Amino acid sequence: MKDQRGFDGGDDQAWRDLSRMSRPYLNVVDFLASYAQRLAELSRATTVEIAVADLGRIVLSRSGSETVQDWLSEREGGVAAITEREPRRAPEWRLEPTPSVTAPLVYADVGIGRLTLAWERRRGGPDLSDALADCARQLAFVVKRHEVCEWARQRLGRSLLLVGVSEAVRNLEIFVEKASHSDLPCLLQGEFGTETPYLAAAVHCCGPRRDLPFVQVNCAQPRGAPQDWFRQAEGGTLFFSDIDMLAPGLQNELPQHMHSRLGQWLDVSNTTRVRVIASAGGDLPRMVAERSFSRQLLAELDFLPVNVPPLRERCDDIEPLVIAALEGHGHRAEDKISAEMLDLCRSYPWPENAFEVERVVARLAVMTGRARIRAEDIRRYFPALHARAERVAVTSAAPSPPVPVAKPPAEAVREPMSARPDIGAGADDWVRHVLNKDIAALSRLHPNLRRALLYLVDHYAEPIRLGSLARQAHVSQSHLSFLFRHSLQTSCKAMLSRIRVEKAKELLAANARQPITDVALQVGFADLSHFEKYFRRQVGRTPREYRRMAAE
C-alpha cells in the first residue's frame, strides 16, 4: 500500500512522485492546477497557492474531502500586484491557515513567482523548506518550458515544448538557464531527432535577446550567403542547424563575418554582433581530425557545449513523449494508451528519437480510431517495434542454445542462414534490396542508413572504413553502427562483405575462366585466403565449388 505520510511524514517519496509528474499539458495553467492538487494530497496542506509573474495565481483550498480550486488572473500587475484576497467561489468553511511556508520560483537568479503551502493545524511537523524549494525549482522550469513554447508559436509558427522527466532533461534545462544569459557561442550535439532545435530556441528565448532576430540556417541546404545570414540576425541569434553538414567552402567564409573570441582573425571590419548557436549530429572532433571540418570554426563554437542524450538512454522520457504526441494530435491520452503499448514502447530503442515517437504514435492513434492502442495494433502498423520487443523477450527469457552449422544439400546453390552467424535473419532480403537499389523497400529504413547502403553498393570494390561511410551518411560512427544492428541485425562490415560475395557469385557464374584471385580483387577482397574463407562461410562451399555447381 502506498505510504500516505507524504511531506508531513517526512517521506522523500513525495518529492519523487512530484518530480515525475510527466503529463505534458498543452498549457501551463492545466499543469499548475494538477500540480497543486497533487502537492495538496501529499503534503496534507489545506491551501496551496502558486503565483506566476504576468500569468496569475492558482489557489487550491481543502477541507476534509472537499476541494475548491480557483485561477486568479493577474496579467497586468504580475505577482507583485497580487493581493491577499480570498479566492472566488471559496467555501464558507475555509479558515485562515497558519502556519505557512513559502518558496520563491527563481529562474536565472530572477524571481518569477512563489509557491505557498499552509495548514490550519500542524504540530511538530518536519521542516518542509527544502522539499518546497525543490518543488518551486521544478515549477520554474515548467513555466519556462511553456514560455518557450508560446514564443515559438508566435515567432516561428510552431510549438516547441520540451517533454520529459529524466535527469538528462533536467540537466538540459539547467544548461539553458545558464547559457541563455551569456553571449558565448553554444554547440548542441545530439543524434537525429533529439531536442537540439528546442534548445536553440530556448537559449534565445530565455535570454535578453528574445525580442531580437532569431535566424536559422539549414546547413545541409543553406539559402543565401553568409553575409546575408549575419545581416538578418544582427543583434540577435544565428542558429546553424546541422553545422557538420555545411560545405567546406562556406565553413571557410564564416570567419569573414563572425567575431573571433580567440583572436584567430584580426580583421573584424565586416563582422556583426550576433549570438551564434550551432547543432551537430556528427562527431566534430573526429571530423576535424579527418580534415572534413574546420578546426578554426570548431574552436570558435566550442565555448558552451552540451550533449543531448538519445532516447534509448532516457527511458523515463518515453511515456511523457507518447502522451505529448497523442494530445498534440488531438487525442485523449487516457483513452488511447494501454499498459502493453507502454511496455512495447519502453523496449524499443527509437533510433530517430523524439521525431520517431511523434510519427509512430500519431500513426497508431489514427489507424486505431477511437479504440485503445493494443499490441496487435502495433504489430500491424509498426511491426519493427513489436519485433524488437519479441527479440528482447526471447533473449531475456533464457540463454540461446548453440546453433549447429549445417551443410547445404549438394544439389542446391544457396546460403544456409546457420552457416552465417554474423548476418541477421533479415539481411538476405536487405542485401537483395540493396543490390537491386529497390527504393520502395529502402525507403522504410532510416535515411542515414539508406544513404550508407546505397554508397556501399556503388563503391563495394573500394576500401571502405566505418568513418568514411559515416561521413557519406551524415551521421556519427556509433549511430551508424547502431542503425545497422537495429534495422538489419548485422554489422556494417558484414553487410559490405555480403555485398562483395554476391558480386563475386555473379562473376564466378558468368566467367568460368577468370582466375579466382582476380575475382577476389575485383570485388574488393585484398587477400585470396580471406576471400575463400569468407565465401565458404557465407555460401557453404568454396568459390570453385560454387562455380562448378552454377555451371551444372
Side-chain angles (χ1 to χ4, degrees):
M1 184 174 178
K2 190 171 182 179
D3 193 335
Q4 297 296 320
R5 291 177 297 167
F7 285 115
D8 206 25
D11 186 5
D12 64 355
Q13 179 65 38
W15 162 240
R16 290 198 295 271
D17 287 346
L18 281 170
S19 67
R20 294 178 62 82
M21 281 191 63
S22 59
R23 189 180 184 88
Y25 289 92
L26 297 182
N27 64 76
V28 68
V29 173
D30 288 345
F31 178 87
L32 295 177
S34 178
Y35 196 94
Q37 178 70 38
R38 183 63 177 144
L39 186 56
E41 293 171 359
L42 290 170
S43 65
R44 299 183 179 179
T46 55
T47 302
V48 175
E49 177 186 315
I50 303 174
V52 179
D54 299 324
L55 186 64
R57 69 172 180 168
I58 189 166
V59 179
L60 185 144
S61 303
R62 303 173 65 243
S63 177
S65 60
E66 297 184 79
T67 301
V68 172
Q69 190 168 274
D70 197 16
W71 177 256
L72 306 177
S73 178
E74 299 285 351
R75 289 183 176 275
E76 295 184 2
V79 172
I82 294 178
T83 62
E84 297 301 326
R85 65 176 181 269
E86 298 292 329
R88 295 188 300 271
R89 303 191 308 276
E92 296 180 359
W93 46 257
R94 185 177 184 276
L95 305 175
E96 185 63 27
T98 183
S100 65
V101 57
T102 297
L105 273 61
V106 178
Y107 189 88
D109 297 327
V110 176
I112 62 172
R114 66 171 180 262
L115 170 63
T116 302
L117 266 65
W119 295 262
E120 290 182 5
R121 294 176 300 277
R122 184 165 174 263
R123 299 175 183 174
D127 183 3
L128 303 184
S129 300
D130 291 342
L132 205 62
D134 288 338
C135 293
R137 182 72 165 148
Q138 180 188 12
L139 287 173
F141 281 135
V142 171
V143 168
K144 282 296 179 178
R145 288 190 192 188
H146 286 273
E147 185 178 313
V148 173
C149 183
E150 182 61 26
W151 176 90
R153 184 182 294 113
Q154 294 179 4
R155 291 284 300 273
L156 308 179
R158 57 162 298 182
S159 296
L160 288 174
L161 179 62
L162 182 63
V163 175
V165 296
S166 66
E167 182 180 356
V169 169
R170 175 59 61 87
N171 290 335
L172 293 178
E173 291 182 300
I174 293 173
F175 171 83
V176 170
E177 180 185 30
K178 295 179 178 180
S180 60
H181 286 75
S182 169
D183 287 333
L184 295 176
C186 294
L187 181 57
L188 317 174
Q189 301 174 89
E191 295 178 0
F192 176 81
T194 52
E195 292 85 349
T196 52
Y198 170 87
L199 294 180
V203 168
H204 176 83
C205 170
C206 295
R209 299 174 182 262
R210 62 172 295 153
D211 296 325
L212 296 172
F214 179 84
V215 177
Q216 178 177 353
V217 177
N218 178 5
C219 295
Q221 295 179 324
R223 296 181 180 180
Q227 61 265 27
D228 301 325
W229 309 335
F230 282 89
R231 185 175 61 253
Q232 293 168 13
E234 176 69 46
T237 300
L238 184 55
F239 172 41
F240 291 100
S241 176
D242 296 317
I243 198 168
D244 50 319
M245 301 178 70
L246 190 64
L250 292 175
Q251 293 178 32
N252 296 330
E253 281 190 51
L254 292 186
Q256 302 175 26
H257 312 279
M258 181 177 173
H259 173 71
S260 173
R261 296 178 179 274
L262 303 175
Q264 294 190 80
W265 37 86
L266 301 180
D267 182 8
V268 296
S269 58
N270 294 328
T271 60
T272 56
R273 291 293 177 176
V274 170
R275 174 78 182 273
V276 174
I277 301 175
S279 69
D283 186 342
L284 291 182
R286 176 186 57 78
M287 294 176 67
V288 166
E290 296 173 351
R291 299 188 176 183
S292 59
F293 193 80
S294 167
R295 180 183 297 275
Q296 292 76 16
L297 181 56
L298 177 57
E300 294 292 341
L301 295 174
D302 199 20
F303 274 87
L304 298 176
V306 66
N307 183 64
V308 184
L311 192 53
R312 60 182 176 275
E313 299 176 7
R314 298 155 36 198
C315 187
D316 288 345
D317 295 333
I318 291 177
E319 181 177 352
L321 284 167
V322 169
I323 294 173
L326 286 169
E327 299 200 343
H329 288 273
H331 303 275
R332 281 169 49 89
E334 55 267 33
D335 295 338
K336 300 296 294 181
I337 291 179
S338 63
E340 54 193 312
M341 174 195 180
L342 288 179
D343 288 341
L344 288 171
C345 288
R346 293 189 186 102
S347 70
Y348 185 65
W350 300 105
E352 295 185 21
N353 297 290
F355 289 0
E356 189 174 15
V357 175
E358 175 91 12
R359 187 175 67 247
V360 169
V361 171
R363 178 196 312 163
L364 293 171
V366 169
M367 299 307 295
T368 52
R370 296 184 178 180
R372 200 175 296 274
I373 301 172
R374 302 290 185 183
E376 54 269 24
D377 302 313
I378 296 173
R379 185 186 299 112
R380 178 182 303 173
Y381 301 116
F382 190 42
L385 190 156
H386 198 276
R388 166 76 180 186
E390 289 181 337
R391 287 197 300 273
V392 171
V394 170
T395 302
S396 59
S400 301
V403 180
V405 177
K407 282 190 174 183
E411 66 276 8
V413 182
R414 58 191 177 93
E415 303 94 35
M417 288 305 302
S418 57
R420 302 197 306 281
D422 57 342
I423 295 291
D428 269 343
D429 291 335
W430 286 116
V431 169
R432 285 192 291 270
H433 293 321
V434 172
L435 290 171
N436 296 327
K437 294 188 176 181
D438 186 347
I439 300 301
L442 295 176
S443 64
R444 303 199 301 269
L445 298 175
H446 189 287
N448 298 106
L449 178 58
R450 181 169 64 249
R451 189 180 292 115
L453 290 172
L454 292 175
Y455 183 85
L456 284 182
V457 78
D458 287 337
H459 302 270
Y460 65 90
E462 304 171 10
I464 299 178
R465 296 185 179 274
L466 181 61
S468 61
L469 183 61
R471 286 198 304 275
Q472 295 294 332
H474 306 307
V475 70
S476 67
Q477 294 185 46
S478 60
H479 189 51
L480 183 60
S481 297
F482 168 77
L483 291 175
F484 269 93
R485 288 291 184 189
H486 166 70
S487 301
L488 307 180
Q489 291 79 57
T490 186
S491 67
C492 171
K493 181 179 179 181
M495 177 60 75
L496 174 59
S497 297
R498 186 72 176 89
I499 292 173
R500 287 172 170 172
V501 166
E502 290 297 321
K503 291 294 186 180
K505 287 164 61 178
E506 294 177 5
L507 294 175
L508 291 169
N511 190 344
R513 296 179 179 275
Q514 186 177 10
I516 301 296
T517 302
D518 290 352
V519 172
L521 294 174
Q522 189 171 337
V523 298
F525 286 95
D527 182 86
L528 177 61
S529 61
H530 177 62
F531 168 65
E532 291 182 329
K533 180 180 179 180
Y534 199 92
F535 192 98
R536 185 185 184 97
R537 184 170 60 178
Q538 289 295 110
V539 181
R541 51 182 47 80
T542 67
R544 290 176 179 81
E545 291 171 343
Y546 178 86
R547 174 180 275 171
R548 185 173 60 254
M549 292 298 299
E552 293 175 358

